[in-house]
Amino acid sequence: MKKVRFGVVGTNFITDWVIAGAREDERFELAAVCSRTQERGEEFAAKHNIPHVFTSLEEMASSDKVDAIYIASPNYMHSQQSILCMSHGKHVLCEKPIASNAREAAEMIAASKKYGVALMEAMKSTLSPNFRAVKDNLHRIGTPRRYFASFCQYSSRYDKFKEGVVLNAFRPELSNGAMMDIGVYTVYPLVALFGRPKSISAQGVVLSSGADGQGAVNMQYEGMNATVLYSKIANSQLPAEIEGEDGNILIDRIQTPVDVRFYARQAPASGHEKRVEGEPISQADNHNEYYYEIAEFIDMVLAGRAESQINSHDTSLATMEIIDEVRRQLGVRYPADEV
């Protein structure tokens, strides 16, 4: 069996989760880790049984011990590190959001084409079986009229923020904030399904650090509108929904779809109807939630494809364009925007 040897950049809990999912694919081989310190690298290597440790990304990128590199460093480093790895002929799976802004994303896509290597944003939700269930049943709702998604999750780091300690999650110099961290989960599926909007209107709460704490975004499409809500300073249990003239699809959690249901258009209400449960259209999911992004990426690499048909380069670029406009309207600026 052909295997793809991975190096990983970033030794945080997200990398732990991705490795757990990746090891469900027999084609995945974890060959190396790059960390800022040898001590931390060796500790992480021992934890995951990784044979090679690097403290220089350029050395790992130029090594013949790896074929592909998974990047889970802070957002502001994504572009520079990805382009470095691709310049050495390494395929890159980059954690979401793919870059600090659309300019950087475009530069990464250009590097993928220039060096003839695969590049994909690690947006797990759109590669899940239940997002495929949404796509497979989308025609049943008829002409789409509205997309709604919400991901609001109070961050424990916000407690520290209120105490005067600004952790990474709320530091704009790291290209962080609520939209970049979790709002992207509401926007990316929208773009994957419907492309770029014709107009964008955003409101939100910008914290004293300059990072956004939450936001609400309305987007207009031809014959359809979309609304997304996101927050790291308040919780919400709202599901996501795609509404059409002939029915609607209800998704329990846009960031990790588990329960997906189709509702056919009902007759006009008389006030005495029983609650309709909807038709379950969820697909069987027998893998770790991070398995699917690794499987898609390995498929690309082994097939010699530069991009995913689902998490495509254009979807990543369009998502960053939307986020850039939302930040512009909210007044959120990153040092990476000044280049």
Side-chain angles (χ1 to χ4, degrees):
M1 178 182 293
K2 178 67 174 177
K3 289 183 178 286
V4 177
R5 301 169 301 167
F6 279 76
V8 297
V9 180
T11 55
N12 54 38
F13 62 91
I14 295 176
T15 310
D16 291 335
W17 294 346
V18 169
I19 288 172
R23 281 184 159 149
E24 293 186 8
D25 192 317
E26 295 181 352
R27 303 168 299 172
F28 173 84
E29 180 179 326
L30 186 51
V33 58
C34 182
S35 180
R36 285 175 294 179
T37 67
Q38 186 72 25
E39 180 182 11
R40 175 58 181 151
E42 290 178 354
E43 177 185 341
F44 194 80
K47 178 180 179 181
H48 292 287
N49 193 28
I50 304 173
H52 304 290
V53 176
F54 294 90
T55 54
S56 162
L57 180 58
E58 184 152 14
E59 286 184 13
M60 186 167 80
S62 60
S63 170
D64 61 2
K65 295 178 174 64
V66 298
D67 308 306
I69 296 177
Y70 166 68
I71 293 177
S73 54
N75 298 338
Y76 80 102
M77 303 176 73
H78 285 182
S79 176
Q80 177 185 4
Q81 291 185 339
S82 294
I83 292 172
L84 171 63
C85 293
M86 288 188 283
S87 72
H88 287 281
K90 298 300 187 285
H91 307 288
V92 170
L93 175 63
C94 184
E95 194 49 68
K96 62 81 194 164
I98 195 168
S100 295
N101 50 44
R103 176 188 56 79
E104 288 187 352
E107 291 171 353
M108 294 165 69
I109 292 167
S112 169
K113 296 175 180 177
K114 177 180 179 179
Y115 299 113
V117 293
L119 169 68
M120 190 183 86
E121 185 170 3
M123 173 59 70
K124 62 185 175 67
S125 57
T126 45
L127 297 169
S128 68
N130 282 321
F131 186 75
R132 185 166 62 247
V134 172
K135 292 182 65 177
D136 290 347
N137 287 273
L138 193 61
H139 68 280
R140 300 175 67 187
I141 73 170
T143 302
R145 292 305 187 189
R146 178 179 289 112
Y147 169 100
F148 171 81
S150 173
F151 187 10
C152 302
Q153 183 173 283
Y154 187 95
S155 172
S156 61
R157 295 168 179 84
Y158 185 53
D159 288 332
K160 287 291 187 181
F161 185 91
K162 291 187 289 185
E163 295 171 1
V165 180
V166 182
L167 300 177
N168 288 356
F170 298 111
R171 292 176 59 189
E173 61 268 33
L174 302 183
S175 301
N176 278 347
M179 171 54 92
M180 294 287 275
D181 188 13
I182 63 178
V184 65
Y185 280 107
T186 66
V187 174
Y188 199 98
L190 169 66
V191 175
L193 292 172
F194 301 108
R196 288 171 172 80
K198 297 169 70 68
S199 64
I200 300 169
S201 176
Q203 295 179 317
V205 175
V206 178
L207 303 176
S208 58
S209 67
D212 57 327
Q214 70 176 34
V217 186
N218 289 312
M219 289 166 275
Q220 188 67 42
Y221 287 77
E222 187 66 43
M224 186 190 92
N225 62 283
T227 297
V228 301
L229 309 177
Y230 65 91
S231 179
K232 288 179 71 67
I233 59 177
N235 283 328
S236 173
Q237 306 302 322
L238 290 174
E241 186 173 48
I242 306 171
E243 304 166 14
E245 293 186 356
D246 296 334
N248 56 297
I249 293 174
L250 195 67
I251 308 161
D252 62 337
R253 296 180 297 179
I254 194 64
Q255 70 275 18
T256 312
V258 174
D259 185 11
V260 183
R261 294 174 181 266
F262 169 74
Y263 293 77
R265 186 184 68 226
Q266 302 296 304
S270 65
H272 301 289
E273 292 78 15
K274 293 182 179 179
R275 177 177 175 82
V276 178
E277 294 299 328
E279 174 192 339
I281 58 174
S282 307
Q283 295 189 6
D285 187 351
N286 300 315
H287 286 285
N288 179 292
E289 62 184 298
Y290 288 92
Y291 159 83
Y292 301 98
E293 66 184 39
I294 293 292
E296 173 74 7
F297 184 71
I298 291 177
D299 285 346
M300 288 166 48
V301 170
L302 296 184
R305 291 187 284 114
E307 64 180 307
S308 166
Q309 293 180 329
I310 304 169
N311 288 9
S312 68
H313 290 172
D314 193 58
T315 297
S316 292
L317 180 60
T319 298
M320 291 310 309
E321 289 170 355
I322 292 170
I323 293 175
D324 282 359
E325 178 59 19
V326 170
R327 290 197 295 111
R328 187 191 70 79
Q329 293 186 25
L330 296 185
V332 174
R333 297 287 295 175
Y334 297 149
D337 300 329
E338 310 303 329
V339 176

PDB file of all heavy atoms in Angstrom, residues 214-234:
ATOM      1  N   GLN A 214     -17.515  38.751  18.698  1.00  0.00           N
ATOM      2  CA  GLN A 214     -18.648  38.104  18.055  1.00  0.00           C
ATOM      3  C   GLN A 214     -19.102  38.944  16.873  1.00  0.00           C
ATOM      4  O   GLN A 214     -18.676  40.098  16.710  1.00  0.00           O
ATOM      5  CB  GLN A 214     -19.816  37.901  19.011  1.00  0.00           C
ATOM      6  CG  GLN A 214     -20.536  39.167  19.435  1.00  0.00           C
ATOM      7  CD  GLN A 214     -21.754  38.875  20.301  1.00  0.00           C
ATOM      8  OE1 GLN A 214     -21.775  37.929  21.080  1.00  0.00           O
ATOM      9  NE2 GLN A 214     -22.793  39.686  20.148  1.00  0.00           N
ATOM     10  N   GLY A 215     -19.980  38.358  16.053  1.00  0.00           N
ATOM     11  CA  GLY A 215     -20.477  39.100  14.908  1.00  0.00           C
ATOM     12  C   GLY A 215     -21.726  38.473  14.322  1.00  0.00           C
ATOM     13  O   GLY A 215     -22.060  37.311  14.598  1.00  0.00           O
ATOM     14  N   ALA A 216     -22.411  39.268  13.522  1.00  0.00           N
ATOM     15  CA  ALA A 216     -23.565  38.811  12.751  1.00  0.00           C
ATOM     16  C   ALA A 216     -23.386  39.346  11.333  1.00  0.00           C
ATOM     17  O   ALA A 216     -23.140  40.547  11.150  1.00  0.00           O
ATOM     18  CB  ALA A 216     -24.866  39.339  13.355  1.00  0.00           C
ATOM     19  N   VAL A 217     -23.497  38.460  10.355  1.00  0.00           N
ATOM     20  CA  VAL A 217     -23.212  38.836   8.972  1.00  0.00           C
ATOM     21  C   VAL A 217     -24.390  38.448   8.085  1.00  0.00           C
ATOM     22  O   VAL A 217     -24.833  37.292   8.106  1.00  0.00           O
ATOM     23  CB  VAL A 217     -21.929  38.154   8.459  1.00  0.00           C
ATOM     24  CG1 VAL A 217     -21.564  38.685   7.070  1.00  0.00           C
ATOM     25  CG2 VAL A 217     -20.769  38.355   9.432  1.00  0.00           C
ATOM     26  N   ASN A 218     -24.880  39.396   7.324  1.00  0.00           N
ATOM     27  CA  ASN A 218     -25.907  39.149   6.319  1.00  0.00           C
ATOM     28  C   ASN A 218     -25.271  39.238   4.942  1.00  0.00           C
ATOM     29  O   ASN A 218     -24.548  40.207   4.652  1.00  0.00           O
ATOM     30  CB  ASN A 218     -27.043  40.168   6.431  1.00  0.00           C
ATOM     31  CG  ASN A 218     -27.894  39.950   7.668  1.00  0.00           C
ATOM     32  OD1 ASN A 218     -28.304  38.835   7.954  1.00  0.00           O
ATOM     33  ND2 ASN A 218     -28.141  41.016   8.406  1.00  0.00           N
ATOM     34  N   MET A 219     -25.573  38.259   4.097  1.00  0.00           N
ATOM     35  CA  MET A 219     -25.028  38.224   2.745  1.00  0.00           C
ATOM     36  C   MET A 219     -26.142  38.007   1.741  1.00  0.00           C
ATOM     37  O   MET A 219     -27.069  37.235   1.991  1.00  0.00           O
ATOM     38  CB  MET A 219     -23.969  37.113   2.637  1.00  0.00           C
ATOM     39  CG  MET A 219     -22.684  37.431   3.386  1.00  0.00           C
ATOM     40  SD  MET A 219     -21.599  36.006   3.618  1.00  0.00           S
ATOM     41  CE  MET A 219     -22.315  35.291   5.109  1.00  0.00           C
ATOM     42  N   GLN A 220     -26.038  38.689   0.619  1.00  0.00           N
ATOM     43  CA  GLN A 220     -27.064  38.598  -0.415  1.00  0.00           C
ATOM     44  C   GLN A 220     -26.528  37.835  -1.618  1.00  0.00           C
ATOM     45  O   GLN A 220     -25.433  38.118  -2.110  1.00  0.00           O
ATOM     46  CB  GLN A 220     -27.511  39.992  -0.845  1.00  0.00           C
ATOM     47  CG  GLN A 220     -28.713  39.992  -1.773  1.00  0.00           C
ATOM     48  CD  GLN A 220     -29.982  39.501  -1.077  1.00  0.00           C
ATOM     49  OE1 GLN A 220     -30.234  39.867   0.071  1.00  0.00           O
ATOM     50  NE2 GLN A 220     -30.755  38.665  -1.746  1.00  0.00           N
ATOM     51  N   TYR A 221     -27.318  36.862  -2.073  1.00  0.00           N
ATOM     52  CA  TYR A 221     -27.049  36.118  -3.298  1.00  0.00           C
ATOM     53  C   TYR A 221     -28.183  36.417  -4.277  1.00  0.00           C
ATOM     54  O   TYR A 221     -29.177  37.049  -3.922  1.00  0.00           O
ATOM     55  CB  TYR A 221     -26.988  34.613  -3.021  1.00  0.00           C
ATOM     56  CG  TYR A 221     -25.740  34.175  -2.291  1.00  0.00           C
ATOM     57  CD1 TYR A 221     -25.596  34.382  -0.919  1.00  0.00           C
ATOM     58  CD2 TYR A 221     -24.706  33.532  -2.965  1.00  0.00           C
ATOM     59  CE1 TYR A 221     -24.455  33.978  -0.249  1.00  0.00           C
ATOM     60  CE2 TYR A 221     -23.561  33.119  -2.305  1.00  0.00           C
ATOM     61  CZ  TYR A 221     -23.439  33.345  -0.947  1.00  0.00           C
ATOM     62  OH  TYR A 221     -22.309  32.944  -0.285  1.00  0.00           O
ATOM     63  N   GLU A 222     -28.039  35.967  -5.499  1.00  0.00           N
ATOM     64  CA  GLU A 222     -29.111  36.124  -6.458  1.00  0.00           C
ATOM     65  C   GLU A 222     -30.303  35.285  -6.016  1.00  0.00           C
ATOM     66  O   GLU A 222     -30.244  34.053  -6.021  1.00  0.00           O
ATOM     67  CB  GLU A 222     -28.654  35.667  -7.853  1.00  0.00           C
ATOM     68  CG  GLU A 222     -29.651  35.947  -8.959  1.00  0.00           C
ATOM     69  CD  GLU A 222     -29.857  37.433  -9.204  1.00  0.00           C
ATOM     70  OE1 GLU A 222     -28.851  38.179  -9.212  1.00  0.00           O
ATOM     71  OE2 GLU A 222     -31.022  37.838  -9.361  1.00  0.00           O
ATOM     72  N   GLY A 223     -31.371  35.937  -5.572  1.00  0.00           N
ATOM     73  CA  GLY A 223     -32.577  35.238  -5.159  1.00  0.00           C
ATOM     74  C   GLY A 223     -32.497  34.569  -3.811  1.00  0.00           C
ATOM     75  O   GLY A 223     -33.409  33.821  -3.427  1.00  0.00           O
ATOM     76  N   MET A 224     -31.429  34.809  -3.049  1.00  0.00           N
ATOM     77  CA  MET A 224     -31.241  34.130  -1.765  1.00  0.00           C
ATOM     78  C   MET A 224     -30.455  35.030  -0.835  1.00  0.00           C
ATOM     79  O   MET A 224     -29.616  35.811  -1.282  1.00  0.00           O
ATOM     80  CB  MET A 224     -30.482  32.811  -1.981  1.00  0.00           C
ATOM     81  CG  MET A 224     -30.344  31.952  -0.732  1.00  0.00           C
ATOM     82  SD  MET A 224     -29.207  30.549  -0.975  1.00  0.00           S
ATOM     83  CE  MET A 224     -27.656  31.282  -0.434  1.00  0.00           C
ATOM     84  N   ASN A 225     -30.731  34.914   0.462  1.00  0.00           N
ATOM     85  CA  ASN A 225     -29.888  35.616   1.421  1.00  0.00           C
ATOM     86  C   ASN A 225     -29.337  34.635   2.454  1.00  0.00           C
ATOM     87  O   ASN A 225     -29.868  33.536   2.650  1.00  0.00           O
ATOM     88  CB  ASN A 225     -30.644  36.759   2.112  1.00  0.00           C
ATOM     89  CG  ASN A 225     -31.833  36.299   2.916  1.00  0.00           C
ATOM     90  OD1 ASN A 225     -32.880  35.993   2.353  1.00  0.00           O
ATOM     91  ND2 ASN A 225     -31.667  36.251   4.234  1.00  0.00           N
ATOM     92  N   ALA A 226     -28.252  35.027   3.077  1.00  0.00           N
ATOM     93  CA  ALA A 226     -27.590  34.180   4.062  1.00  0.00           C
ATOM     94  C   ALA A 226     -27.278  34.999   5.306  1.00  0.00           C
ATOM     95  O   ALA A 226     -26.896  36.171   5.203  1.00  0.00           O
ATOM     96  CB  ALA A 226     -26.300  33.595   3.484  1.00  0.00           C
ATOM     97  N   THR A 227     -27.435  34.367   6.457  1.00  0.00           N
ATOM     98  CA  THR A 227     -27.109  35.000   7.735  1.00  0.00           C
ATOM     99  C   THR A 227     -26.261  34.047   8.553  1.00  0.00           C
ATOM    100  O   THR A 227     -26.609  32.869   8.697  1.00  0.00           O
ATOM    101  CB  THR A 227     -28.375  35.353   8.532  1.00  0.00           C
ATOM    102  OG1 THR A 227     -29.146  36.306   7.789  1.00  0.00           O
ATOM    103  CG2 THR A 227     -28.025  35.937   9.887  1.00  0.00           C
ATOM    104  N   VAL A 228     -25.148  34.541   9.077  1.00  0.00           N
ATOM    105  CA  VAL A 228     -24.329  33.723   9.963  1.00  0.00           C
ATOM    106  C   VAL A 228     -24.079  34.490  11.254  1.00  0.00           C
ATOM    107  O   VAL A 228     -23.898  35.713  11.252  1.00  0.00           O
ATOM    108  CB  VAL A 228     -22.984  33.314   9.313  1.00  0.00           C
ATOM    109  CG1 VAL A 228     -23.229  32.530   8.027  1.00  0.00           C
ATOM    110  CG2 VAL A 228     -22.089  34.507   9.030  1.00  0.00           C
ATOM    111  N   LEU A 229     -24.106  33.754  12.361  1.00  0.00           N
ATOM    112  CA  LEU A 229     -23.820  34.303  13.683  1.00  0.00           C
ATOM    113  C   LEU A 229     -22.628  33.557  14.261  1.00  0.00           C
ATOM    114  O   LEU A 229     -22.526  32.338  14.121  1.00  0.00           O
ATOM    115  CB  LEU A 229     -25.022  34.126  14.610  1.00  0.00           C
ATOM    116  CG  LEU A 229     -26.393  34.597  14.114  1.00  0.00           C
ATOM    117  CD1 LEU A 229     -27.453  34.271  15.161  1.00  0.00           C
ATOM    118  CD2 LEU A 229     -26.386  36.077  13.786  1.00  0.00           C
ATOM    119  N   TYR A 230     -21.749  34.275  14.924  1.00  0.00           N
ATOM    120  CA  TYR A 230     -20.605  33.621  15.558  1.00  0.00           C
ATOM    121  C   TYR A 230     -20.219  34.407  16.809  1.00  0.00           C
ATOM    122  O   TYR A 230     -20.425  35.615  16.889  1.00  0.00           O
ATOM    123  CB  TYR A 230     -19.417  33.520  14.588  1.00  0.00           C
ATOM    124  CG  TYR A 230     -18.843  34.864  14.196  1.00  0.00           C
ATOM    125  CD1 TYR A 230     -17.806  35.437  14.917  1.00  0.00           C
ATOM    126  CD2 TYR A 230     -19.363  35.579  13.122  1.00  0.00           C
ATOM    127  CE1 TYR A 230     -17.278  36.679  14.573  1.00  0.00           C
ATOM    128  CE2 TYR A 230     -18.859  36.817  12.766  1.00  0.00           C
ATOM    129  CZ  TYR A 230     -17.815  37.362  13.493  1.00  0.00           C
ATOM    130  OH  TYR A 230     -17.310  38.582  13.164  1.00  0.00           O
ATOM    131  N   SER A 231     -19.665  33.692  17.792  1.00  0.00           N
ATOM    132  CA  SER A 231     -19.267  34.363  19.024  1.00  0.00           C
ATOM    133  C   SER A 231     -18.312  33.500  19.829  1.00  0.00           C
ATOM    134  O   SER A 231     -18.420  32.272  19.832  1.00  0.00           O
ATOM    135  CB  SER A 231     -20.501  34.672  19.885  1.00  0.00           C
ATOM    136  OG  SER A 231     -20.128  35.311  21.094  1.00  0.00           O
ATOM    137  N   LYS A 232     -17.377  34.175  20.497  1.00  0.00           N
ATOM    138  CA  LYS A 232     -16.545  33.526  21.508  1.00  0.00           C
ATOM    139  C   LYS A 232     -16.807  34.123  22.888  1.00  0.00           C
ATOM    140  O   LYS A 232     -16.085  33.826  23.837  1.00  0.00           O
ATOM    141  CB  LYS A 232     -15.060  33.653  21.144  1.00  0.00           C
ATOM    142  CG  LYS A 232     -14.649  32.790  19.964  1.00  0.00           C
ATOM    143  CD  LYS A 232     -13.186  32.954  19.615  1.00  0.00           C
ATOM    144  CE  LYS A 232     -12.262  32.329  20.642  1.00  0.00           C
ATOM    145  NZ  LYS A 232     -12.350  30.854  20.685  1.00  0.00           N
ATOM    146  N   ILE A 233     -17.860  34.949  22.975  1.00  0.00           N
ATOM    147  CA  ILE A 233     -18.178  35.579  24.258  1.00  0.00           C
ATOM    148  C   ILE A 233     -19.610  35.266  24.701  1.00  0.00           C
ATOM    149  O   ILE A 233     -20.111  35.848  25.664  1.00  0.00           O
ATOM    150  CB  ILE A 233     -17.949  37.096  24.199  1.00  0.00           C
ATOM    151  CG1 ILE A 233     -18.798  37.762  23.121  1.00  0.00           C
ATOM    152  CG2 ILE A 233     -16.470  37.388  23.966  1.00  0.00           C
ATOM    153  CD1 ILE A 233     -18.666  39.282  23.077  1.00  0.00           C
ATOM    154  N   ALA A 234     -20.286  34.360  23.994  1.00  0.00           N
ATOM    155  CA  ALA A 234     -21.633  33.917  24.361  1.00  0.00           C
ATOM    156  C   ALA A 234     -21.901  32.567  23.720  1.00  0.00           C
ATOM    157  O   ALA A 234     -21.326  32.243  22.675  1.00  0.00           O
ATOM    158  CB  ALA A 234     -22.686  34.924  23.912  1.00  0.00           C
TER     159      ALA A 234
END
